[in-house]
Each structure stands twice: as C-alpha cells, then as structure tokens.
Amino acid sequence: DSIRFANWMHNGKGSGDTETGAYTITAVGVVGNSITRNAGATVFLTSEDEWYKAAYFDAVSSSFFDYTAGTDIPPTCSTPGSVPNTASCNMPNGVPATAGVVEVGSYSQSSSPTGTFNQTGNVGEWVEVIVALSKRGQQGASWTSGLGAALSSERGSYEPDFEHPAIGFRLAAIPEPNTALLLGIGMMGLGMRRSRTRRGCI
C-alpha cells in the first residue's frame, strides 16, 4: 500500500495509476517480496539509509546521534508541545503519551538535525529494505513503543502485508528544479561556451 501511494504521488495524483511509476508492482513481485525502486523515481518510500541519515545525521558536526532530536540523550515521552527532545511514545509506566498519531511539527523543538519531524514517536515507518527475503524493514519508535525502539541502533521488520495503526510510512521526493535555477544553469553554460569560443579564436 505504501509503494502504491508513492506511485500515485509520482504520477501526479491525477492518472490514477498505482501499479507503475516509482515502483512496478506485479503479482510475482508481491509474492516474492522483490519489488524495488525504479530508476527515475521522483517520489518514493525512503531506503533504510535515507531514513537513517535524515533522522540521525548532523551535517554541521559530520556525526550521527543516538536519537532523532540531534542528541544522545533519550527523549522524554510527553504530549505535544515546544519542549526540546520530547516525543509521542510509551512512558516508563507503559502508558502512551498520546492516544494515537499527532500532526507533523506538533513537537516543534524536537526535529532532527535535517529538519524532519516525528521520526521518534508517532508511527514506526516502513522503509524499502528487504530483510531475510520475506520481510521489509521498519524504522523508528511509534506512539505505542518504548524508547528502546527509538535508538539509532534499532531496526524492526515485518511481513509486507502486516498492518497496525502504529505503523505508517514516510515518502521522500526529488524536487523539480525551479525556473530561476534552470535559468542560472543555462546562463552559466552559455558563459562557459562563449569563453571557450573566445579562447579558440585567439
């Protein structure tokens, strides 16, 4: 379902095609758990490495943190707010901090160093990686998880047809270059061409 949604987004949402695009979904691929991202995909489920780097990597220090709020200190499970390093997860007494998923940005001071939200708490998220031929990877703690699942060293996996209200997915997108950027690249190329032409004439 997650890669069908990615296909729908990849195809501009208007075509209605959910079986091709970022992924080619076939009966054989579903049964064999062998579907992978197509070349040229613009909207897709994150790979395990993409998810991990977005969650834990800090480009300023060129280092990885243990938790997604840019820290090695475990987050505090709490209701949404502006307190740093908090998340929607199971508190030590086993009671969830929230009764379900929350809006993106609800923990406004707890984003990852790259600016992503809710990679600890909210829902555990499917990633593309195939695990042991029969399962797919899952990253991050959910609102029903304890903090152990939030550690960068943790990795979950489930059968691809497993469904649970605390498991979702995160899509990544390759943005289209804007007009100003394309114009700048074009002008730069034109300048280089003129420079080469002048050198050739001298």
Side-chain angles (χ1 to χ4, degrees):
D1 290 345
S2 61
I3 62 176
R4 283 191 167 103
F5 188 83
N7 279 343
W8 182 68
M9 293 291 291
H10 170 94
N11 292 325
K13 300 181 281 189
S15 75
D17 184 5
T18 60
E19 304 307 291
T20 61
Y23 305 87
T24 301
I25 301 174
T26 64
V28 171
V30 171
V31 171
N33 190 31
S34 60
I35 298 168
T36 57
R37 187 189 306 174
N38 290 331
T42 57
V43 180
F44 43 85
L45 197 66
T46 56
S47 71
E48 189 168 52
D49 288 342
E50 289 162 345
W51 195 100
Y52 194 92
K53 190 169 183 180
Y56 303 113
F57 184 69
D58 178 22
V60 175
S61 63
S62 294
S63 59
F64 287 87
F65 289 101
D66 288 339
Y67 296 96
T68 63
T71 179
D72 293 328
I73 300 169
T76 300
C77 299
S78 72
T79 55
S82 59
V83 178
N85 200 24
T86 53
S88 172
C89 49
N90 253 346
M91 294 183 279
N93 60 7
V95 177
T98 65
V101 298
V102 296
E103 293 291 325
V104 173
S106 297
Y107 296 85
S108 60
Q109 298 300 309
S110 299
S111 66
S112 75
T114 56
T116 59
F117 286 95
N118 303 112
Q119 287 185 270
T120 291
N122 219 33
V123 293
E125 298 176 358
W126 289 111
V127 289
E128 287 180 329
V129 68
I130 298 170
V131 180
L133 298 179
S134 64
K135 295 183 178 182
R136 292 279 173 155
Q138 180 260 317
Q139 286 281 356
S142 74
W143 61 274
T144 64
S145 302
L147 287 176
L151 259 172
S152 62
S153 58
E154 290 300 305
R155 175 203 214 189
S157 63
Y158 297 99
E159 299 291 333
D161 60 353
F162 180 73
E163 295 184 3
H164 191 278
I167 297 179
F169 58 94
R170 180 177 300 260
L171 297 181
I174 298 174
E176 292 183 17
N178 64 36
T179 306
L181 177 62
L182 288 174
L183 181 61
I185 292 169
M187 294 302 286
M188 186 172 69
L190 183 60
M192 290 170 66
R193 182 178 175 192
R194 284 180 178 161
S195 176
R196 286 197 198 101
T197 302
R198 286 195 194 104
R199 285 195 202 103
C201 292
I202 292 173

